Amino acid sequence: MDQVTWIEILSRHRDVAHRVRVAGAEVHIGRGYDNDVVIDDAYVAPRHARVFRDETGRLVAEDLGSLNGLFLDRDKTKLARIVIDGERPIRIGHTFVRIRDASHMVPPERAGQPAGAKILPIALAAALIVLEALSAWLGETGEPKASNYLFPLLSVAAVVIVWVGVWALLSRVISGVAHFERNLLIALAAILGFSVFNEFAQFSAFALTWRIPTSYGYVAMWCILAVACFFHLRELGRSRLPVKAVAVAGLAALAIAIQTLAQSEAFHDSGRQNTAQRLLPPALRLAPVRDETTFFGEIEQLKSRLDRDRSDVRADDPAR
């Protein structure tokens, strides 16, 4: 009974582009039409290699004196013979070829996508819509207008579509699979995370007069963006993840340092910004309200300090 050997021509994404079933003791591979497997590659010899079984029954690929030789996967060492393991392909010219016995064990089938897999992106999108609508409602200071609710939602939707589209295209080009749903999930989670932080910052500024979250909100923005970019890069390929993490973290740290420097110079030139950047309903104010006497008392203290500073300046420079 003839032994059956399967020859798989792989794409650059390591997907099977073509599969040939060959029955016989030997398999000849090359560019010529008299081969069992014909490879359309200008760097492949007319009779490039043969595949046979050695005395122990193992599959072996042997170079037939070609100019460019045989290589194991991406190794750069030219080999005269390669023992086939069924997993790592061999390189013939610019073409990757995987050789397997008919008895080669394949991994079990993947589980189908669970019915609830699409619920998470929908839930994140719904939460984002509710949060944006609530933010617009709390910030209303005049007559309610539909545009105040519609335009922010459309802006967020446009950003998500463009962002996810770019990453899905990159993923399709580099890894061969767009992973649109995964990239969408990453983008929605990142935007929702930043929206939650922004609402917390605005609330703490108005309710507690706490300026740190609003003054340094850009730190949270860059951190969230860096995490999202890392997960997008992971969808492009799982190799060199530590390098990708270090690169993304380094760029985020650089951006934070530059923006911190620019903000410190702005504070030095113009003073600190107002703590509360958005008015909210008075019922959300948690910090105690100072009475009129306390307020005007602080004004008098400030006036006294200003008068004292003017007097010191005149004493130091009588020309003034």
Side-chain angles (χ1 to χ4, degrees), residues 64-129:
L64 294 178
S66 65
L67 178 63
N68 294 316
L70 290 180
F71 299 87
L72 180 60
D73 205 349
R74 297 188 183 276
D75 293 345
K76 300 191 180 297
T77 303
K78 187 184 295 187
L79 301 171
R81 283 190 174 192
I82 299 175
V83 177
I84 304 301
D85 61 4
E87 295 298 333
R88 298 185 68 185
I90 62 173
R91 180 159 52 88
I92 300 176
H94 290 174
T95 304
F96 288 94
V97 178
R98 188 166 60 201
I99 303 167
R100 285 180 170 175
D101 198 319
S103 61
H104 182 84
M105 296 296 295
V106 296
E109 71 275 16
R110 294 179 180 177
Q113 191 177 43
K118 297 183 183 295
I119 295 179
L120 185 55
I122 295 174
L124 289 177
L128 187 58
I129 292 173

Side-chain angles (χ1 to χ4, degrees), residues 116-308:
K118 297 183 183 295
I119 295 179
L120 185 55
I122 295 174
L124 289 177
L128 187 58
I129 292 173
V130 171
L131 187 62
E132 291 294 328
L134 179 62
S135 175
W137 178 70
L138 291 175
E140 287 280 10
T141 56
E143 290 294 328
K145 297 179 180 179
S147 60
N148 294 339
Y149 297 87
L150 186 60
F151 289 162
L153 292 177
L154 291 178
S155 300
V156 172
V159 170
V160 170
I161 291 173
V162 173
W163 180 266
V164 174
V166 170
W167 281 107
L169 178 61
L170 288 174
S171 181
R172 181 69 180 87
V173 171
I174 295 174
S175 68
V177 183
H179 295 305
F180 182 83
E181 290 185 3
R182 296 181 186 177
N183 284 304
L184 176 62
L185 185 63
I186 294 168
L188 289 175
I191 294 178
L192 181 61
F194 181 73
S195 296
V196 170
F197 174 83
N198 186 59
E199 291 305 311
F200 165 75
Q202 296 296 333
F203 174 79
S204 62
F206 179 83
L208 304 172
T209 320
W210 187 24
R211 68 162 58 95
I212 293 178
T214 52
S215 297
Y216 299 98
Y218 63 90
V219 177
M221 180 195 72
W222 284 113
C223 290
I224 293 173
L225 182 61
V227 172
C229 287
F230 170 75
F231 280 102
H232 282 305
L233 289 172
R234 193 181 69 165
E235 294 303 321
L236 299 184
R238 300 301 177 98
S239 61
R240 300 180 180 178
L241 289 180
V243 176
K244 294 176 182 178
V246 171
V248 170
L251 290 175
L254 179 61
I256 291 172
I258 292 174
Q259 195 160 349
T260 300
L261 177 62
Q263 182 166 288
S264 64
E265 292 176 348
F267 286 167
H268 180 270
D269 295 337
S270 306
R272 286 195 169 272
Q273 301 172 352
N274 294 330
T275 300
Q277 299 175 356
R278 188 177 69 192
L279 294 177
L280 296 175
L284 297 179
R285 177 72 179 177
L286 301 180
V289 179
R290 293 176 296 177
D291 56 25
E292 182 178 345
T293 303
T294 303
F295 176 76
F296 283 107
E298 292 181 355
I299 295 298
E300 287 297 328
Q301 293 178 4
L302 179 60
K303 181 176 180 300
S304 299
R305 287 199 299 271
L306 290 174
D307 291 340
R308 186 168 58 252

Side-chain angles (χ1 to χ4, degrees), residues 305-316:
R305 287 199 299 271
L306 290 174
D307 291 340
R308 186 168 58 252
D309 290 341
R310 291 193 186 99
S311 300
D312 293 341
V313 170
R314 291 193 185 98
D316 293 338

